């Protein structure tokens, strides 16, 4: 479409598109606009009081102390960027707003700082600050005071280094020397905010956003700060953190390749080499938009909850042991202590029938983790009544059975330490029964079925963060269980999984059951059986279905079939929200000159067909990435949807937003 074509042209030739900018976007010459982002910053207004940085224990540095600025809280950074540094600026105005902020907060000259790099810290004096370039003019403090790491530096070498940089270094590399007077608190704080912004918030492609009218703080800065602190405080699964860092690296490399290719093109050239480069540029543009869209999903707290993350980025650290070489089976009994009555009951009810053959042995354990870690395929773990506190996750890589010897409220396993999840199952056929699990501080969930099959019966799951997660291709059978307390969904069901829920209570969670789908590629629909469950008193919906925006699902393949048709299904249109303001994409539109010109340029190239196909794909990914409106709405019923194999006898009571809902993105 025209918007897509203009965006691609503007990215390839930014110097030309700058000529067509509207005069109204220029700043008022009278300078009467008093923007809150340029308000003079002070530590009292922000509530921030800086302290001296404590020297490392056992250190022998002769350098003076600096201000402690790295432990600022979320609200302190939030307030600084929103009220003082950025305000409501656009991406193209970030540098100007930052320079204006520094001009009002940083002492212009004659202050001491440590010039800190990966290999040295050296004491310098700041002679001048060039806020437009984010640099400071320095001179060495003599005699030389320097700490080095893995190298030797003297006064002559440091002087030569400064001369090579024209005595200018980035402000982000300066740490202000501590003074109790308070005269340099603002300077130290301002440099920290700039340093943090360009290290964790700013992306080199932000400035090239075509839609330059949006509030940069709201769209980008706030969600990225929140994500940083969520990761810092272990509220994001380790796999998702690794995925985010990998996407950032890939996106940065892609942008650098795109920029290098763009810099070698001329707008009026008609050479075959430039035509091929334009085709390559379109492909890189498509790839760049895909990376950026995935980054936005992770950065947005709501999308992160309903979508992220699809893959198992964190590899299972415990491998399956398989059967014992001897072929023997072991019964693992877990108890800290037991009475003679309990032991007699255990012998008569379970052990004697199980140990009738000579190749069965019994092992005793004081806690459940060691028992599960000792299991091979086919083993049985019997947990006697008691309260068992564990400090690590329970990994189940083999087909074993874990059962509580009593009622669930009598056999309690509690996890208090932090970790991605409480129980992780990857065994082909795992059985779990008669146990109560109490979760504290787990990031990902109380129980995660990553692969294989888990059959759970008569268990109680007292959640703290997320409930039960059923990953793609995994199978869960959950019968007669009670699940409550999740700050996310009670049960999260991923595409391609098989989930059977019969006779369960799911209550007092954010959402009862969350059924996920993804935008980047089509997956097999989940297969869900829900019978005789009671889903009640959840904050949001009883059952919520996540679906991508309609145009993406209607994207045509080269053979003329839609993605949904190739899968063998059809769109259930009454489940898709119609409240989006973004119109459907016209895949055959040629109203804009840029993409037809690209296709014509590539006619004689072997990549011509690829360019047209890539252009169509790019339009859809671009459409999704630019669609910032999300819709959550209640629907009357979901039970006839094709994801449900069986849906009967369920009761829904007092769910805050309704029994059924859809989330469209």
């Amino acid at each position: 479409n025209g918007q897509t074509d203009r965006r691609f042209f503007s990215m390839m030739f930014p110097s030309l598109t700058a000529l067509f900018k509207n005069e109204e976007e220029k700043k008022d010459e009278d300078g009467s606009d008093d923007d809150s982002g340029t308000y003079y910053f002070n530590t009292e207004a922000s509530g921030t009081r800086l302290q001296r940085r404590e020297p490392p224990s056992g250190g022998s540095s002769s350098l003076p102390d600096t201000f402690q600025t790295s432990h600022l809280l979320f609200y302190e950074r939030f307030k600084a960027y929103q009220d003082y540094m950025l305000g409501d600026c656009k991406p193209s105005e970030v540098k100007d707003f930052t320079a204006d902020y520094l001009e009002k907060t940083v002492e212009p000259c004659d202050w001491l700082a440590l010039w800190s790099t990966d290999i040295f810290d050296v004491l310098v004096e700041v002679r001048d600050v060039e806020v437009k370039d984010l640099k400071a003019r320095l001179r060495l403090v003599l005699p030389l005071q320097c700490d080095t790491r893995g190298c030797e530096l003297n006064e002559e070498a440091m002087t030569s280094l400064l001369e090579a940089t024209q005595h200018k270094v980035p402000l982000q590399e300066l740490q202000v020397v501590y003074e109790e007077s308070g005269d340099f608190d603002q300077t130290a704080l301002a440099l920290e905010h700039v340093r943090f912004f360009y290290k964790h918030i700013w992306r080199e492609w932000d400035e090239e956003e075509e839609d330059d009218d949006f509030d940069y703080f709201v769209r980008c800065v706030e969600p990225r700060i929140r994500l940083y602190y969520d990761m810092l405080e272990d509220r994001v699964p380790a796999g998702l953190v690794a995925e985010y860092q990998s996407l950032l690296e890939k996106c940065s490399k892609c942008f650098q390749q795109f920029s290098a290719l763009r810099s070698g093109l001329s707008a009026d050239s008609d050479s075959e080499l430039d035509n091929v480069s334009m085709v390559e540029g379109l492909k890189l543009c498509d790839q760049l938009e895909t990376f950026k869209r995935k980054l936005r999903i992770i950065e947005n707290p709501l999308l992160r909850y309903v979508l992220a993350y699809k893959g198992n980025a964190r590899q299972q650290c415990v491998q399956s042991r398989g059967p014992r070489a001897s072929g023997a089976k072991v019964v693992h009994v877990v108890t800290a202590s037991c009475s003679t009555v309990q032991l007699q009951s255990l012998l008569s009810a379970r052990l004697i029938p199980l140990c009738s053959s000579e190749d069965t042995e019994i092992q005793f354990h004081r806690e459940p983790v060691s028992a599960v870690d000792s299991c091979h395929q086919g083993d049985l773990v019997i947990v006697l009544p008691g309260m068992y506190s564990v400090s690590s996750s329970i990994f189940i890589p083999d087909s074993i059975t874990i059962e509580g010897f009593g009622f669930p409220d009598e056999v309690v396993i509690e996890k208090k330490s932090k970790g991605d999840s409480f129980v992780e199952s990857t065994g082909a056929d795992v059985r779990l029964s008669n146990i109560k699990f109490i979760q504290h501080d787990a990031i990902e969930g109380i129980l995660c079925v990553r692969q294989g099959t888990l059959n759970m019966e008569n268990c109680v799951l007292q959640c703290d963060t997320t409930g039960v997660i059923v990953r793609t291709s995994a199978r869960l059978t959950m019968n007669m269980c009670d699940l409550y307390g999740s700050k996310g969904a009670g049960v999260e069901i991923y595409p391609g999984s098989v989930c059977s829920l019969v006779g369960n209570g799911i209550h007092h969670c954010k959402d009862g059951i969350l059924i996920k789908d993804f935008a980047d590629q089509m997956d097999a629909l989940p297969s869900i059986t829900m019978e005789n469950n009671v889903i009640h008193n959840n904050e949001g919906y009883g059952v919520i279905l996540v679906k991508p925006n309609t145009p993406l699902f209607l994207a045509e393949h080269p053979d003329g079939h839609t993605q949904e048709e190739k899968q063998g299904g059809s769109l259930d249109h009454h489940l898709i929200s119609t409240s989006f303001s973004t119109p459907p994409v016209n895949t055959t539109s040629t109203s804009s000159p840029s993409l037809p010109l690209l296709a014509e340029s590539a006619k004689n190239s072997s990549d011509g067909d690829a360019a047209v196909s890539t252009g169509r794909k790019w339009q859809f990914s671009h459409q999704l990435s630019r669609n910032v409106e999300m819709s959550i709405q209640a629907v009357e019923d979901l039970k006839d949807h094709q994801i449900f194999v069986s849906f009967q006898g369920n009761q829904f009571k007092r769910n805050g937003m309704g029994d059924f809902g859809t989330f469209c993105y």
Side-chain angles (χ1 to χ4, degrees):
N1 56 33
Q3 183 182 6
T4 298
D5 300 342
R6 288 192 296 274
R7 175 178 176 78
F8 177 72
F9 187 79
S10 65
M11 292 180 72
M12 296 298 291
F13 305 108
S15 59
L16 292 181
T17 55
L19 298 175
F20 300 98
K21 282 195 172 181
N22 196 315
E23 293 281 340
E24 294 178 357
E25 294 184 5
K26 296 182 179 179
K27 295 181 180 179
D28 290 334
E29 295 181 359
D30 57 6
S32 59
D33 186 16
D34 184 18
D35 193 283
S36 62
T38 61
Y39 180 76
Y40 187 80
F41 182 74
N42 65 83
T43 54
E44 292 184 0
S46 70
T48 301
R49 307 293 299 182
L50 297 184
Q51 304 295 325
R52 183 194 301 266
R53 185 192 299 274
E54 294 293 333
S57 58
S60 58
S61 175
S62 60
L63 294 173
D65 294 335
T66 58
F67 286 94
Q68 175 60 271
T69 59
S70 61
H71 294 164
L72 297 181
L73 301 177
F74 167 81
Y75 82 90
E76 294 174 303
R77 298 194 192 275
F78 181 96
K79 184 176 180 64
Y81 294 129
Q82 183 183 50
D83 294 348
Y84 307 116
M85 182 171 163
L86 300 176
D88 56 357
C89 73
K90 304 172 184 177
S92 60
E93 299 172 331
V94 167
K95 290 183 179 178
D96 291 336
F97 272 61
T98 302
D100 188 51
Y101 165 73
L102 290 174
E103 188 174 4
K104 294 181 178 181
T105 54
V106 174
E107 290 292 330
C109 60
D110 301 329
W111 46 277
L112 298 179
L114 295 185
W115 178 18
S116 298
T117 68
D118 293 336
I119 59 175
F120 63 79
D121 297 319
V122 61
L123 184 63
V124 295
E125 181 182 2
V126 176
R127 305 297 296 165
D128 186 29
V129 176
E130 299 178 359
V131 293
K132 292 291 184 182
D133 298 327
L134 298 180
K135 289 187 176 182
R137 188 182 297 274
L138 311 177
R139 74 175 180 185
L140 290 176
V141 173
L142 301 177
L144 181 68
Q145 300 182 50
C146 181
D147 282 348
T148 61
R149 291 173 284 277
C151 66
E152 292 293 333
L153 292 176
N154 53 32
E155 181 180 328
E156 181 179 356
M158 288 303 304
T159 301
S160 300
L161 181 59
L162 275 177
E163 289 177 352
T165 62
Q166 298 181 336
H167 292 264
K168 297 178 183 179
V169 302
L171 288 172
Q172 296 96 300
E173 296 181 2
L174 297 181
Q175 302 278 350
V176 182
V177 171
Y178 179 80
E179 283 194 15
E180 294 183 355
S181 64
D183 294 341
F184 298 104
D185 283 38
Q186 295 175 21
T187 298
L189 204 53
L191 294 189
E192 169 60 24
H193 289 316
V194 172
R195 180 165 42 247
F196 181 88
F197 175 77
Y198 281 101
K199 183 177 181 180
H200 299 291
I201 306 299
W202 178 254
R203 311 286 184 244
E204 50 191 341
W205 50 86
D206 285 352
E207 197 170 14
E208 302 204 0
E209 288 287 349
E210 183 188 46
D211 182 10
D212 198 29
D213 294 330
F214 67 80
D215 187 328
Y216 181 67
F217 177 83
V218 174
R219 175 80 70 84
C220 299
V221 178
E222 179 181 357
R224 289 172 186 172
I225 299 176
R226 290 188 184 276
L227 177 61
Y228 172 83
Y229 277 93
D230 284 346
M231 292 191 299
L232 185 68
E233 297 168 9
D234 294 328
R235 291 196 292 267
V236 181
L240 187 56
V241 174
E243 184 177 341
Y244 183 70
Q245 298 296 341
S246 175
L247 282 172
L248 274 179
E249 184 178 351
K250 291 176 182 178
C251 194
S252 179
K253 289 181 179 179
C254 184
F255 180 78
Q256 291 169 7
Q257 293 173 359
F258 181 83
S259 300
L261 184 147
R262 179 179 58 187
S263 63
L265 291 176
S266 58
D268 56 353
S269 173
D270 196 28
S271 68
E272 182 178 351
L273 182 60
D274 275 358
N275 289 340
V276 173
S277 296
M278 290 289 282
V279 173
E280 291 299 318
L282 185 60
K283 292 179 180 179
L284 285 173
C285 188
D286 177 22
Q287 190 176 13
L288 185 63
E289 284 300 313
T290 300
F291 288 141
K292 288 161 65 175
R293 175 174 55 82
K294 291 181 179 180
L295 288 172
R296 289 192 191 102
I297 287 175
I298 299 176
E299 290 167 353
N300 184 296
L302 182 57
L303 288 178
R304 188 162 70 241
Y305 163 62
V306 298
L307 294 178
Y309 61 110
K310 177 184 177 184
N312 179 15
R314 186 170 74 91
Q315 293 298 320
Q316 177 66 37
C317 61
V318 178
Q319 300 298 320
S320 174
R321 300 178 185 85
R324 285 183 175 80
S326 63
K329 305 293 184 182
V330 175
V331 177
H332 304 266
V333 178
V334 180
T335 180
S337 62
C338 66
S339 65
T340 55
V341 175
Q342 282 181 322
L343 185 57
Q344 288 176 345
S345 177
L346 178 65
L347 283 168
S348 60
R350 300 295 290 142
L351 296 183
I352 293 177
L354 289 170
C355 301
S356 57
S357 60
E358 296 181 356
D359 61 347
T360 302
E361 76 177 67
I362 301 174
Q363 294 182 5
F364 287 87
H365 306 263
R366 296 185 62 86
E367 47 86 25
V369 176
S370 64
V372 175
D373 289 347
S374 302
C375 283
H376 285 250
Q377 182 175 314
D379 284 0
L380 169 66
V381 177
I382 301 176
V383 186
L384 267 61
M387 170 71 77
Y388 301 91
S389 294
V390 300
S391 58
S392 60
S393 298
I394 299 175
F395 298 100
I396 310 176
D398 289 287
S399 298
I400 63 173
T401 298
I402 305 174
E403 62 180 50
F405 189 68
F407 296 106
D409 286 338
E410 299 173 337
V411 184
V412 181
I413 303 177
E414 182 179 23
K415 182 175 184 290
K416 296 183 178 180
S417 60
K418 289 186 177 181
D420 273 6
S421 60
F422 187 172
V423 180
E424 293 197 13
S425 175
T426 58
D429 184 13
V430 177
R431 299 183 180 275
L432 192 61
S433 62
N434 304 330
I435 298 176
K436 181 177 182 178
F437 295 93
I438 301 178
Q439 171 200 42
H440 298 283
D441 291 330
I443 302 168
E444 188 176 350
I446 193 168
L447 190 152
C448 181
V449 189
R450 294 198 179 275
Q451 61 188 47
T453 300
L454 174 66
N455 297 283
M456 181 165 53
E457 185 173 346
N458 196 32
C459 289
V460 176
L461 303 164
Q462 180 178 318
C463 308
D464 182 57
T465 50
T466 307
V468 175
I469 300 171
V470 191
R471 292 286 183 199
T472 299
S473 300
R475 292 172 173 263
L476 169 69
T477 299
M478 181 173 165
N479 297 338
M480 306 301 295
C481 295
D482 188 35
L483 186 153
Y484 58 92
S486 171
K487 292 184 176 67
V491 180
E492 288 187 7
I493 303 174
Y494 277 69
S497 62
V498 178
C499 186
S500 174
L501 306 174
V502 179
N504 303 288
I506 302 174
H507 55 98
H508 295 91
C509 303
K510 180 177 180 179
D511 292 301
I513 298 171
L514 176 65
I515 305 169
K516 296 191 176 188
D517 214 328
F518 298 93
D520 50 357
Q521 64 183 25
M522 290 294 296
D523 291 287
L525 293 175
S527 177
I528 303 172
T529 299
M530 288 185 61
E531 298 178 358
N532 303 321
N533 300 284
V534 182
I535 303 175
H536 64 97
N537 291 101
N538 295 292
E539 179 183 342
Y541 291 100
V543 177
I544 183 168
L545 176 66
V546 179
K547 300 294 289 185
N549 195 7
T550 309
L552 183 72
F553 275 68
L554 298 178
E556 280 196 9
H557 283 262
D559 60 6
H561 295 287
T562 64
Q563 292 183 12
E564 192 75 16
E565 289 170 347
K566 289 183 76 66
Q567 186 185 330
S570 61
L571 281 176
D572 197 349
H573 290 281
H574 79 279
L575 295 179
I576 306 297
S577 169
T578 58
S579 62
F580 291 99
S581 62
T582 308
V585 179
N586 181 5
T587 59
T588 60
S589 172
T590 56
S591 58
S592 175
S594 299
L595 278 179
L597 179 61
L598 284 174
E600 183 67 28
S601 307
K603 271 186 178 179
N604 297 325
S605 167
S606 59
D607 291 330
D609 293 337
V612 176
S613 176
T614 303
R616 184 183 295 114
K617 284 174 55 185
W618 188 84
Q619 291 185 29
F620 284 105
S621 65
H622 171 68
Q623 177 79 8
L624 180 63
S625 66
R626 303 310 306 159
N627 180 20
V628 297
E629 293 190 36
M630 295 172 290
S631 172
I632 303 178
Q633 67 173 23
V635 295
E636 291 185 1
D637 208 345
L638 283 175
K639 63 183 180 182
D640 294 329
H641 194 277
Q642 57 186 323
I643 61 177
F644 291 107
V645 176
S646 175
F647 193 103
Q648 59 184 356
N650 301 288
Q651 299 182 48
F652 295 83
K653 302 177 181 178
R654 297 182 294 279
N655 294 298
M657 298 182 68
D659 298 337
F660 305 100
T662 59
F663 178 94
C664 297
Y665 61 94

